Amino acid sequence: MARIRTNKNICLYCFGNLDHGRVCETCHKKADDTPSPPHHLPQRTVLAEKYLISKALGEGGFGITYLAWDLSQGIKVAVKEYFPSGYVNRVPRSNQVIINSKQNQAASNRGLKRFIDEAKTLAKVKNLPGIVSVRDFFSANGTAYIVMEYLDGLSLKKYLQRKGGKIPCDEILTILRPIMESLVEVHRLGLIHRDISPDNIIITKSNEVKLIDFGAAKQSNLDGKSLSIVLKQGFAPEEQYRTHGEQGPWTDIYALGVTIYFAITGMLPPESIQRMYKDTIVRPSEKGATVSPTQESALMKSLAVYSEHRYRDVSQMMKGLYGSTRRNARKTQDGEEPSAASPAPSPRSTRLSAPKKTTPPESSTATKATARATATDTKSKSPEKQTKASASSVEQEAAEKLAALKAEKAKREALARTQAERAKVAKEGKAAAKKQTSTDAQKMRSVTRERKPTLMEKLFGTRGKK
């Protein structure tokens, strides 16, 4: 007689059936019946009569994420439970979540509302290639749950560790491109992520790249209304440290810039609020990073301390990082010249042109020879050579700008050293003059003491002295 399939005899590794010895008939793995931590949902809990809980994948300050099986579709999913650490407890031998004190009730309820808003936010942006998809969300056990696609892979942070801590700029731009393209659509809906970092970027085994964890996502506050301070140190711009800081796409652009900087140098730039007082950021090329001058200029603009100096949207940032090279390559493949061609005359100008005059034979012959020479010269310049020339001119221009900036910086430093030396000389001169004045005063006092009459002279006079 066939065993009835229940949550007790389902393999949590492959969704197969467990035999009487608790070994899977499909993958032949023995079931792990180790008890879950007391504050976690017990293994094999079924939520909403549909999601079979396996193990916890991770937990943070506001929630616990579990690996689970969708029993109706037979696929793995990720289930995120709202469980703010320190504010709630789980009732023993129960799945129920309760707030641990009246003082924490208001804060916990606000967090629950934000958690539900995250689910609604992700529901709006599903089916984007670079964003994790939400499949379902619901309330149960005195809390709420979000069901998302399960991403089998590793974080960008771990990927960089495996690569020795840093990678070339072209590689990180290839990785981040799906996310940046998807963020254009996310920002178009008026949403900002506010927590972009290598921890929240997943590279799957099927070579997909996804941005996860929209727990800090908010509507852009272009009107300056108060926003909660939720940030990741090192990756957050200065406006994210202020409740009334104007946040928008440029907020995510800064975090993307830090992610790229970290990936190509292996180090974080100075924190944004420190840079407000003294900006000591070092360009990636000066740290030995593999980055072109054009890419570095676009990256440094994305990392500007104040938002008004950054790109205003991700599409502009992408043009700076990818733009010109991609356009030139496309034109070369299509057989077009990247340089601007002379505009063709409009139909109206053709109609209004003067009637043709008869050209003398000698003039006509010279004109034809000139035309042949021009055609030969034009043919000699192939589109490929012109494309290379255009690309090299762009790089040369960027290099010249970089050299000019370095020269200007060196000039400022030399001027500062000159001023410091002058100040030092002036200070030493003042000290010497003061010392001379003190010496002269001492001499005067000494002379005065020598000429002062003694007490005997005062009493008896100076008789008997010549």
Side-chain angles (χ1 to χ4, degrees), residues 151-165:
L151 302 176
D152 189 7
L154 74 165
S155 69
L156 176 59
K157 184 178 181 180
K158 290 184 178 178
Y159 176 82
L160 292 172
Q161 289 172 351
R162 291 186 180 183
K163 288 283 188 173

Side-chain angles (χ1 to χ4, degrees), residues 326-365:
R326 188 174 68 252
R327 285 198 298 272
N328 288 345
R330 190 187 306 120
K331 288 181 180 180
T332 304
Q333 291 171 1
D334 295 341
E336 299 176 6
E337 295 187 19
S339 57
S342 300
S346 65
R348 183 176 179 182
S349 65
T350 304
R351 288 197 300 271
L352 297 179
S353 58
K356 293 182 180 178
K357 294 181 180 180
T358 305
T359 308
E362 295 80 9
S363 177
S364 176
T365 304

